[in-house]
Amino acid sequence: MIGKLDLYRIFNVVSRNKSFSKAAQELYMTQSAISQSISKLENELDIQLFYRTSKGVELTNEGNLLYEHVDSAIGMIDVAEGKLLEFKQLKIGELRIGVGDTISRYFLLPYLEKFHFRYPGIKLTILNGTSTEICTFIKSGRADLGICNLPIQDEHIQAIPCKEIQDIFVCGEKYKRMTKNPISFEYLMKMPLIFLEKKSNSRIFVENFLKRRGFQVSPVFELGSYDLLIEFAKINLGISCVIKEFSKGYIERGELYEVLLENELPKRSIGICYLKNVSLSRAAKRFIESI
């Protein structure tokens, strides 16, 4: 069938023009080559497709039947090739990104805006989840890539750091006195602490760091939303563990106060994650380049 495709294309052009010479001009071939191609197709199908006349050629009944189907099939192939070209040029397509609420709101939004402006034909699908859930989305094929809190401990996932972040503790007006001088971890552990829920990568990172130094975290509140960490601290329900870069506005406006530590928590990163040993789509590659 593949070997006959060129013959069918020639047959289609001859049928439309009802002339070998006009078909030769359209296809930039010699009239002899057109004639030989039609003869070869007739021999392979074992049927006469054209009547030769003084004015050109006319389709036989069998030729008319074949033309109806070939013309439709080649039209569909042309449409498919056009769609493929649009995919290559990023005029159409889909990009599925796994990301959590916090990173989406405080980091990803401007990059989504820029990408959508540049490639409006690419449908952006956002899958919400924790870093662990996002890795599951990627491995199951539901997401092309994810933006996660690093580190990611998964041998199937490739992670590329794209932004360094710092975990800090913040409080409201009630605990403002604590912010005058740096405090020790021992003192911090005696305070009413507010953390994200245990499955959060941010919580795991900070908790593991403190455990290695002999401190057991026992929060008074464990929340499922980063914004709630901010709001609980603002109304003086405790000391919240937040990300400095995402809380800067609240601190600058005096809505929150940073609790300085004698020893800072180590910095970590947000990263782009995708499946190892699997080729990324053009859209995914272009999005990664834009960050």
Side-chain angles (χ1 to χ4, degrees):
M1 177 62 185
I2 294 176
K4 292 180 182 176
L5 184 57
D6 285 340
L7 296 180
Y8 282 130
R9 286 189 180 277
I10 292 170
F11 165 77
N12 195 53
V13 175
V14 172
S15 300
R16 188 173 65 248
N17 286 284
K18 297 183 179 181
S19 166
F20 282 10
S21 60
K22 289 180 180 179
Q25 292 175 2
E26 182 175 330
L27 295 171
Y28 299 98
M29 297 173 65
T30 63
Q31 187 169 332
S32 174
I34 295 291
S35 179
Q36 290 174 13
S37 296
I38 295 300
S39 295
K40 183 178 181 182
L41 182 60
E42 288 179 325
N43 289 334
E44 290 191 14
L45 296 176
D46 192 25
I47 199 165
Q48 184 179 354
L49 298 172
F50 293 99
Y51 295 119
R52 277 67 171 176
T53 70
S54 58
K55 295 182 179 180
V57 293
E58 292 288 340
L59 285 164
T60 63
N61 289 336
E62 296 84 355
N64 261 312
L65 178 64
L66 182 64
Y67 176 60
E68 289 178 5
H69 294 281
V70 167
D71 187 55
S72 176
I74 289 179
M76 292 176 68
I77 291 172
D78 290 339
V79 169
E81 289 179 343
K83 292 294 183 182
L84 285 177
L85 182 61
E86 289 180 344
F87 267 108
K88 289 176 66 175
Q89 296 175 343
L90 297 181
K91 292 182 178 179
I92 59 173
E94 182 180 12
L95 178 59
R96 301 164 301 167
I97 303 172
V99 65
D101 289 336
T102 305
I103 295 177
S104 181
R105 176 178 176 182
Y106 293 100
F107 172 73
L108 189 60
L109 285 181
Y111 295 104
L112 291 176
E113 181 183 19
K114 182 172 67 173
F115 186 85
H116 180 66
F117 177 80
R118 188 171 182 183
Y119 305 107
I122 301 295
K123 177 185 176 183
L124 292 171
T125 299
I126 306 301
L127 302 171
N128 184 264
T130 65
S131 293
T132 301
E133 290 169 340
I134 290 166
C135 289
T136 301
F137 294 158
I138 294 171
K139 289 188 289 185
S140 67
R142 290 182 61 194
D144 301 303
L145 53 86
I147 314 295
C148 300
N149 284 302
L150 303 185
I152 296 294
Q153 306 296 335
D154 191 314
E155 62 181 5
H156 301 291
I157 298 294
Q158 178 69 49
I160 303 173
C162 59
K163 181 178 177 63
E164 193 174 66
I165 56 176
Q166 174 78 58
D167 295 290
I168 62 171
F169 290 87
V170 296
C171 64
E173 194 70 32
K174 178 180 177 180
Y175 298 97
K176 184 179 178 182
R177 67 184 188 283
M178 292 178 52
T179 65
K180 293 181 179 179
N181 298 298
I183 64 172
S184 64
F185 289 133
E186 289 88 349
Y187 190 86
L188 179 68
M189 291 300 105
K190 297 175 184 178
M191 295 294 104
L193 299 179
I194 306 172
F195 274 80
L196 287 172
E197 56 194 354
K198 288 184 177 181
K199 66 180 181 178
S200 160
N201 231 31
S202 298
R203 161 79 177 270
I204 293 170
F205 178 82
V206 174
E207 193 167 29
N208 285 343
F209 172 80
L210 292 171
K211 278 183 179 179
R212 290 194 297 269
R213 280 148 185 80
F215 301 105
Q216 183 68 39
V217 175
S218 299
V220 293
F221 293 105
E222 295 179 324
L223 307 175
S225 162
Y226 183 85
D227 287 341
L228 284 179
L229 290 176
I230 298 294
E231 296 304 319
F232 273 43
K234 283 167 63 175
I235 61 174
N236 303 306
L237 292 180
I239 314 297
S240 288
C241 183
V242 300
I243 296 170
K244 186 171 186 175
E245 289 73 15
F246 300 164
S247 309
K248 189 176 295 183
Y250 299 101
I251 295 171
E252 290 175 349
R253 292 191 298 270
E255 298 177 54
L256 290 175
Y257 304 94
E258 181 179 356
V259 177
L260 301 177
L261 300 174
E262 290 178 353
N263 297 289
E264 287 187 344
L265 296 170
K267 293 183 178 180
R268 56 190 179 91
S269 296
I270 290 169
I272 301 169
C273 301
Y274 53 88
L275 204 57
K276 286 181 180 178
N277 304 318
V278 174
S279 297
L280 290 168
S281 67
R282 286 177 177 266
K285 289 179 180 177
R286 196 60 56 86
F287 184 78
I288 291 173
E289 292 168 1
S290 71
I291 295 182

